[in-house]
Amino acid sequence: MARQALDLFDEGFQELTPSEFFRKNKQMLGFSGKIRSLTIVFHELITNSFDAAEEAGILPEIKIDLKRVGKDHYILRHQDNGPGIPEKYIPKVFCTMFAGSKFRNIQSRGQQGLGCSGCVLLSQMTTGKPVKVISGTRENGELRGVKMSLKMDVKKNQGLILEREDVEVEGTGVCIELHFKDVSYSLSEQGAYEYIRRTMIANPHAKIVFNDPAGNRYVFNRASDIVPPLPKEVLPHPWGVTADDLIFMAKHTEKRRFRSMLTSNLSRMSAKKVKELEELTGIDLNKRPKDMKWEEAERIVEAFKKMNFMAPPTSGLIPIGEDQIEKGMREILDPEFTATVTRKPKTYRGGIAFIVEAGIAYGGNSGRLVGDQRKAEIMRFANRVPLTFDAGSCAITEGIKSLDWKRYGIRDLESTPLTIFVNVVSTNVPYLSTGKQSIAPEPEILHEIRQATMIVARKLQKYLRKKKAAKEEAQRARVFETYVPVIIKQAALLAEREAPDYRELLDKVTRRAKLEILGESLNE
Amino acid sequence: MARQALDLFDEGFQELTPSEFFRKNKQMLGFSGKIRSLTIVFHELITNSFDAAEEAGILPEIKIDLKRVGKDHYILRHQDNGPGIPEKYIPKVFCTMFAGSKFRNIQSRGQQGLGCSGCVLLSQMTTGKPVKVISGTRENGELRGVKMSLKMDVKKNQGLILEREDVEVEGTGVCIELHFKDVSYSLSEQGAYEYIRRTMIANPHAKIVFNDPAGNRYVFNRASDIVPPLPKEVLPHPWGVTADDLIFMAKHTEKRRFRSMLTSNLSRMSAKKVKELEELTGIDLNKRPKDMKWEEAERIVEAFKKMNFMAPPTSGLIPIGEDQIEKGMREILDPEFTATVTRKPKTYRGGIAFIVEAGIAYGGNSGRLVGDQRKAEIMRFANRVPLTFDAGSCAITEGIKSLDWKRYGIRDLESTPLTIFVNVVSTNVPYLSTGKQSIAPEPEILHEIRQATMIVARKLQKYLRKKKAAKEEAQRARVFETYVPVIIKQAALLAEREAPDYRELLDKVTRRAKLEILGESLNE
Amino acid sequence: MNRREIAINKLKSLGDMILEDVQAGKIPKIKVPSRGTSNIIYDENRRHYVLGDRYGTRSLGNVKQIKKIGQMLYTANFCKDLVARQKTATLRELYYISEGWEVDFADQQESNIVGEDLEVTLGMTREDLGLMPEEDGASVYGELTVREGDIEINALRSGKSGYNISPTIDEVEFVDHDVERVIAVETMGMFHRLVQEKAYKKFDALIVGLKGQAARATRRFIKRVNEELNLPVYICNDGDPWGFHIAMVIISGSAKLAHVNHQLATPDARFLGVTASDIINYDLPTDPLKDIDVLRLKELLKDPRYRDDFWKVEIKKMLKIGKKAEQQSFSKYGLEYVVDTYLPEKLEAVENQ
Amino acid sequence: MNRREIAINKLKSLGDMILEDVQAGKIPKIKVPSRGTSNIIYDENRRHYVLGDRYGTRSLGNVKQIKKIGQMLYTANFCKDLVARQKTATLRELYYISEGWEVDFADQQESNIVGEDLEVTLGMTREDLGLMPEEDGASVYGELTVREGDIEINALRSGKSGYNISPTIDEVEFVDHDVERVIAVETMGMFHRLVQEKAYKKFDALIVGLKGQAARATRRFIKRVNEELNLPVYICNDGDPWGFHIAMVIISGSAKLAHVNHQLATPDARFLGVTASDIINYDLPTDPLKDIDVLRLKELLKDPRYRDDFWKVEIKKMLKIGKKAEQQSFSKYGLEYVVDTYLPEKLEAVENQ
């Protein structure tokens, strides 16, 4: 018999908090697989520390201890020297999902709002342990320290303070301690160690000391003393907004007129442009933002596409820089040769600005050690963050592999001791999938990746050529000394004559060969 | 100069609602790619309608109209005959993310809590249009109809009623109308049409009428009049719970003692087993649930693993059934031959019950039409829901491809007009990825998929063999009539003698051949 | 009865048998000795492979076999005609001739198999049935006179490439000779070297240039000079598994031709080619053994034809040093070395054993 | 001067040239005519390919070329010795002999190239320099008497496989003959058929069994009987691109041997083999053209050697019918048909043109 709707709903309907939801769907936070889960944790914590320190104008320094206390069971201690978290924000930062820094159109390292609280959720789900936090902040010049022990109340999506005490701290910064089970520390390309190593190449201004579970202490020293400038918020470019964006803006703006909302919320939007827009669409832009209808927003977006605008401002993009990349590579890879390039800003999809940087390192510890042979490795970065998964489909991989490396004197890319570094910088990196681990092959981005890689490859080629030439010179002289006497003897035997003196001939050809190698013209 | 933490946080810290979050991350809802996005919408709406109707004991009947109003711009009208949604729940169902039926350990078709509201979010983001809903419900025997127009308030994660009126309805059920842009209707294997077709094979008790954008009307008739029994909630098996699950249970139980919580919240947990557990762990199970510590929960989980329990109850699993699958395939594929099997319940990962069903259809409209040739197709289902993406890594694909089809008389699987149907039923299908589009190859599941497919393949083989035998009989008689006279003539020429009468011989061999084909013994 | 009459009688009896079965009310069957590997047996006494006593049946009542019987009878009639008219034909011609038959061959493969069926069923060689291989036999140089029909030929006076063994070698008569041994070599390069260095005179030998794997006619020729003229035969091949095997097929026959080995094998012939010991003793230029060489050598170790200690030792030694060498590699020491030094040393060692 | 003296003088002058350059203070160079495709030119008058006048230089001052010069001079000395002592050696022997040199060859390929360099540089054939191919020449049957040294050989009295052309054919003298034409056939199957059906008598012909692609010695033999004995030559091959091309290489030489075609090509020889027209007129059993056949036929259409109307018409016809046929396919009409009917008809048509 058919049942009534109201009964069914009264029995079975409920609302979930974000924490409850992700407790059931942790793979949506990237936590799938033991190795990957731990790498994601490192990523979230390091990224947060870097962002916090840089925003406060501090050179980042992080100390990480990872202890293994059982099979797939670890304790992670992560300490930074950032500005610290004010006491009242601590529960939110660590125990509320979807809480974090504001969404802004800004070049940013990570996802927003899921990072730290996601790690706490994973810890609590696998071990039931609370998170321990020590935060040191400076308030009006005075150093304050607080130590807390917190649990996440999943049903309420908020933190539950278990313990709290004032402590003495030596400086500002956050130290957190988390327990994990069902994760695994690995030295593989997808593992936590490699994540740190790559992070250090792209962030030579940082210092990380890492004590691994086997008792090894790795000190990644700072190769540069310059705090990278803070990326500025950039207003969206008219070519990059959707109707939904305009309506969303209109709903939350404080401006009284739609026209003033446009000029203050979009870049490259002058009064002249507003007038042009008004003529093109026939819409009265003097109306209040709240009165803007969807159809009108759609017409405005259509009109934007037909209008000419200056390219979007690129002041918001902060590349690592050629010198800094080189410093990073030299520090970490100790290579025989490096070359780096930072390209000029370009745009994709009509209006989104981006910058591509590339570096190449040859010899030394460059490349990936397979058995006792070093093979080429590709290090992919987006806004200085290493991309470790889904390499196959990434624009960086595709761009690099599509080059004809033979043209750069590298016969077999795979088995050359080479590290190729590419960093894509943008306020809006087009990721291919949820996990933000690979970059979509937008034609303009692919083009820039190829260009940048070609530039550094060409410099490597020059170096390799010079090296080879020196070796050849010696070889050639040896060839002549071996064969000339033999040939003269055989010619004499054939002609049934005496062999002539050939010392002059030998001198001549040896000297000639030397000039040839140097590429100088031969005057005979 | 270093900035103070409090200033930084006061300026830049915020909390987001789930709607705000997913507005920025719609790919996390499966909305990536135009074709896929529309298929996901169909999936969410059809699944919800089926679940609602079945829960109320109604045979599902759905009417879908998809109109194309511009490039990548469609209007979708979806009407079902379920129990309807009570007025007060309408805004929550369509405009609140994370709201829906309760999480229960139950065999269910879809994701919980994201379905309908996700579709509304996509519609609103791409077109700005409100969703229109008509809901007919029966309250105390009286039919009530209400029509609403709703927008999603993303900042608040709740619905905003724009219009509302009472309307007359002809029966219970929900009709919703949504606008979409940036989606695309396709006849491909990943498209919406194929999704409906496959759904109908797995749900022969349902009826769908679909008017497609090109003006075609497809009526998928009901092949069976039986509403499938409602899956029952099944208590988790001790082998399947984690420490976190126990702590979560303890926090929300109404039981006063941990021991009574265990017996009422877990299956196969008798008083005797509680005693055994107490002895094994030394934990006093009389304590209050809230006093249970994480370490104790962990010890209990460890002890469970060492104890013997009956296999988990399988009453919660409702397969489609052999007859029903056959009806579905006959209705949709009009095949020359079908065979189906529903296997007995089995468990994987120690304690999770599942059932595998398989069907095979040969000839008629079976298989996928490529050019003018029909090729084999694999239809994958989990709890009756078609899986359309990520076929390569799925246990079903792997299981079917790993069979040696030649052993079943199918020389080239690819180019045989064959539809192979597999449905995996479980309260807990182990999906490989977030999108829930492929099943992990757990050894036990893979084994069952292979067994089920082998059974139906063997039946197909028998049929094909019989068909072939009839054809051969005629051919054989022709062979003898051709060759016997020739051979006698040549033998006579060779022996230089007269040819004898061979009519008797010809009769004999022809008769013999017939018996041979029938497999009867030859008495010479 | 000569070979020709025997062949005709055997062919006739095949037709007779079929007709008799028909008249007796039985379904005719032809028993064809099996040529499958399990029916190929190494005969210790005869020192070559022979066919065992297993056979297959072609029954006129079997839909799959009846066509084969028709082809076999047609082929038998064709062969009877060839033998009666003292002609020969190639297998290729047999295949084309079948175009006019009521049961023709689908392809060359099919007609080859039926030809072989007829050979084993009747216990005759294909040459006896008038079916000649296309391949030419070896070249022979030295003091031997043969008669083909009414023509006498002296193999020392037939040009530098010598007398050419034709497929119809069984119709050739040995008239006279003045040699003491036969030296067969794998390549024509080595044949010309031996002729140029007058090895035929130096060793009182017939020089035979095998041109790789020896043709049936060549093997028949070698067997006949060995048995009819009582000449010892030495086979002088490259030092690699293929050289070994070319020699061994002459000595002990092949498995594939088990049904005619008694007409082809020369069990007393001796291998005089390059061995692993030679490679070491003469410090020859070598090539490394390839994977396929190693595989082949290991197969030879299991082959009953190589059970002699000599072979076991040399094959194992070759596997150990991992090298092989060609006959012509002796020219490292000059063109004449092989005739002036190597062959005399080897011959002396072998003949004084 | 005979061929031998010319060879020795040319070899000596190579050494002279080098020494003179050294004494004049110049860096010695050897000019080697280029054998690249762009230097292979079809000569309309001579009706075969010749080398053009482009050449490469081996300079003693070039680190990549100096080793080649050393190898070339060593090889020249080796050849001078061969010619002086009236010996021959194979390329394989040359390769092994180089083991003792101060600039040996890395592989057979390298020594083959240096041998060819020497041929073109001196304008001599390798046979003139004592370097013999391993491959045996064709079989010849019919009323022809030749002299090799002090031995006379009659090609009608050399056995059923006839007289075998040896690589040293240039040292053979034609003594006597009683034939009016030469008929060359592609396969030994057809050779034996012609001998068996007494075609040599019926057509007053020398029968030549080419054994596939004709060896250098065979081509030289055919050229000599054509020019020295004034005998017309007919080449009777399979009706497929390979049969055509085997004939054409005899007629017009190959591109690869452009430097010696003047010694090998017989421009007046005629193709008498199976044509597309024959396939139609005689309703022959055929095989369908394979992709590679079609490709090859299309290549032939562009080849200057096939520019005659006869070839153009027949090749296009074959492409149109899409079929090919072997010579032996005439046996569809009986074994004798090819000699009794087909060849007389073809010969009459060709000789009465």
Side-chain angles (χ1 to χ4, degrees), chain B residues 48-64:
Chain B
N48 272 350
S49 291
F50 279 3
D51 282 344
E54 287 163 20
E55 202 173 351
I58 299 167
L59 282 169
E61 179 168 343
I62 298 177
K63 195 164 163 283
I64 304 172

Side-chain angles (χ1 to χ4, degrees), chain A residues 137-381:
Chain A
T137 54
R138 194 176 295 278
E139 273 169 44
N140 306 320
E142 207 170 300
L143 206 54
R144 284 198 47 199
V146 62
K147 184 172 170 183
M148 270 189 197
S149 175
L150 293 159
K151 279 216 155 185
M152 181 182 277
D153 184 335
V154 175
K155 282 260 173 193
K156 296 195 183 128
N157 190 31
Q158 66 188 28
L160 208 67
I161 299 169
L162 303 183
E163 290 167 28
R164 185 217 166 279
E165 57 176 308
D166 289 318
V167 289
E168 294 236 337
V169 290
E170 290 180 4
T172 63
V174 179
C175 173
I176 105 167
E177 189 181 293
L178 287 164
H179 290 239
F180 292 100
K181 280 193 179 172
D182 288 335
V183 301
S184 173
Y185 175 73
S186 155
L187 289 167
S188 76
E189 218 177 321
Q190 274 80 41
Y193 174 78
E194 184 62 21
Y195 181 86
I196 297 178
R197 199 174 76 105
R198 294 190 177 188
T199 298
M200 291 311 292
I201 291 183
N203 296 276
H205 64 289
K207 176 178 176 180
I208 293 187
V209 177
F210 174 46
N211 294 310
D212 83 355
N216 303 310
R217 180 182 175 83
Y218 301 99
V219 180
F220 298 93
N221 273 316
R222 195 169 280 133
S224 153
D225 282 331
I226 303 161
V227 185
L230 274 188
K232 285 183 205 126
E233 177 165 8
V234 174
L235 298 178
H237 192 268
W239 286 340
V241 294
T242 65
D244 189 47
D245 290 333
L246 285 181
I247 295 294
F248 193 86
M249 248 175 229
K251 215 162 178 181
H252 304 108
T253 186
E254 282 154 18
K255 298 288 170 185
R256 308 263 303 271
R257 308 268 171 227
F258 199 80
R259 66 161 65 241
S260 50
M261 182 199 89
L262 284 181
T263 48
S264 63
N265 280 17
L266 296 182
S267 68
R268 308 310 191 199
M269 201 66 211
S270 59
K272 203 179 136 213
K273 289 287 168 193
V274 170
K275 207 168 160 206
E276 191 184 337
L277 183 65
E278 223 159 8
E279 279 163 16
L280 263 172
T281 58
I283 299 171
D284 173 16
L285 297 180
N286 259 326
K287 66 166 83 177
R288 292 193 313 168
K290 314 264 177 221
D291 295 339
M292 183 58 60
K293 296 209 190 74
W294 179 274
E295 287 73 16
E296 290 173 325
E298 277 191 338
R299 267 157 60 205
I300 289 170
V301 169
E302 285 306 305
F304 279 163
K305 299 266 187 283
K306 290 179 200 136
M307 291 165 64
N308 285 320
F309 290 102
M310 275 174 66
T314 52
S315 54
L317 298 185
I318 310 294
I320 307 172
E322 297 176 356
D323 286 357
Q324 300 291 310
I325 298 172
E326 180 158 350
K327 279 181 185 161
M329 292 203 299
R330 289 218 171 273
E331 176 72 31
I332 307 292
L333 302 175
D334 189 24
E336 184 183 315
F337 172 84
T338 63
T340 56
V341 66
T342 297
R343 301 272 298 166
K344 292 228 177 69
K346 298 278 152 62
T347 63
Y348 74 95
R349 283 193 206 152
I352 307 172
F354 72 98
I355 290 174
V356 169
E357 309 184 89
I360 206 161
Y362 177 87
N365 297 327
S366 307
R368 166 172 57 96
L369 200 61
V370 178
D372 56 353
Q373 233 206 320
R374 293 206 163 262
K375 309 226 164 198
E377 66 178 343
I378 296 172
M379 291 190 176
R380 302 174 292 130
F381 298 83

Side-chain angles (χ1 to χ4, degrees), chain C residues 34 84 147 152 174 182 198 206 222 230 235 267 300 314 326:
Chain C
S34 160
R147 188 185 350 256
E152 279 196 3
F174 295 144
V182 178
K198 300 201 169 49
L206 273 188
I222 289 176
N230 262 313
I235 308 162
L300 298 190
E314 287 298 341
E326 294 177 341

